[in-house]
Amino acid sequence: MSAMEVHDTIEGFRAALDTSRLAGLRVGLVPTMGALHAGHVSLLDRAARENDVVALTIFVNPLQFGPAEDLGSYPRDMERDVGIAVDAGGTHLFAPTVGEMYPGPVATTVTVSGVGEAMEARSRPGHLAGVATVVAKLFAISGSCRAYFGEKDFQQLAVVRRMNTDLSFAVSVVGCPTVREPDGLALSSRNAYLSAEQRAAAPVLQRALQAGTAAVTDGDRRAGAVREIVAD
Ligand code: PAF
């Protein structure tokens, strides 16, 4: 286990990555909200394979939680996360306070129209704008790098890609495959909230998606029919 540089200020983290780049090192960035699991480890592994510096960020971003959501109870365990990150090849950690990221009321936010307005945006108003805003800040702070995101949050990945293109950050966004439990449930920090009954039912989500995929692959192009197969 080697040591990891830990930063809680924007200035310190930015300077550390600038110094690395000046030394000719390639920087990989893995933005997270902590509660690390094997999905995050797969992002860190890939970042370690493709870069010299593996910078992990842990920040439970209040801007992406709705008023009735789980900001207060979101799982937090910094000591455990640091151990996992070091074992996975993390070299730098940025774990700012809310005050460091948002020193005053937030007047400037990033909204992504089109892909940022559909699907999850309807049930979680403000969520994807909160994600786009914090990721834009992390990209601005980190500078030129490759940034790794899971395909599990597929709409989030699409929003981040669009935001990155539109705002011309010096970042190459890399989407990484979803990591699943043996029964098909996608790994997620929030799986910890599931009751035994919900946990037993959850793998149906992957089966539903596979059934929809199979229908389309077999040539069915009727959106309503495919939707019904997924719902069944
Ligand atoms: O996917 C997450 O963990 C978060 O939405 C992200 C991208 C770190 C932004 O807070």
Side-chain angles (χ1 to χ4, degrees):
M1 199 192 258
S2 56
M4 184 166 64
E5 259 186 51
V6 179
H7 296 277
D8 59 6
T9 66
I10 291 172
E11 199 188 346
F13 182 60
R14 176 180 277 151
L17 297 190
D18 282 347
T19 305
S20 300
R21 274 184 296 264
L22 277 174
L25 302 179
R26 296 161 301 174
V27 175
L29 180 74
V30 180
T32 79
M33 299 206 301
L36 301 184
H37 51 64
H40 297 114
V41 170
S42 76
L43 304 182
L44 291 163
D45 279 347
R46 172 116 182 238
R49 283 200 305 278
E50 297 179 353
N51 305 280
D52 308 297
V53 163
V54 178
L56 167 78
T57 72
I58 296 182
F59 179 61
V60 182
N61 171 37
L63 240 54
Q64 68 188 76
F65 288 78
E69 291 185 11
D70 56 344
L71 174 61
S73 57
Y74 195 83
R76 293 165 170 88
D77 189 341
M78 191 56 80
E79 207 177 313
R80 178 182 166 277
D81 285 350
V82 166
I84 292 174
V86 169
D87 285 347
T91 59
H92 294 64
L93 169 65
F94 180 46
T97 60
V98 173
E100 177 70 9
M101 286 296 273
Y102 303 120
V106 179
T108 307
T109 57
V110 178
T111 55
V112 178
S113 59
V115 68
E117 293 170 319
M119 297 183 286
E120 195 173 4
R122 295 200 198 104
S123 56
R124 301 181 74 191
H127 167 67
L128 288 166
V131 170
T133 301
V134 78
V135 173
K137 279 178 73 78
L138 292 171
F139 284 5
I141 293 164
S142 303
S144 175
C145 65
R146 292 193 187 90
Y148 297 82
F149 295 85
E151 289 176 346
K152 170 179 73 72
D153 299 302
F154 205 79
Q155 190 179 9
Q156 165 174 286
L157 175 58
V159 164
V160 166
R161 283 192 195 285
R162 186 60 200 253
M163 180 276 294
N164 185 49
T165 302
D166 285 354
L167 298 183
S168 308
F169 287 107
V171 175
S172 170
V173 173
V174 182
C176 302
T178 302
V179 178
R180 296 181 180 277
E181 300 281 7
D183 65 4
L185 177 64
L187 295 188
S188 164
S189 307
R190 288 187 169 107
N191 287 351
Y193 297 161
L194 299 176
S195 67
E197 199 183 336
Q198 289 166 336
R199 174 64 189 82
V204 77
L205 293 172
Q206 191 201 22
R207 292 203 302 277
L209 290 171
Q210 284 171 333
T213 306
V216 173
T217 309
D218 289 348
D220 200 337
R221 292 290 184 275
R222 299 163 304 150
V226 174
R227 208 176 288 131
E228 257 175 51
I229 289 168
V230 171
D232 281 351

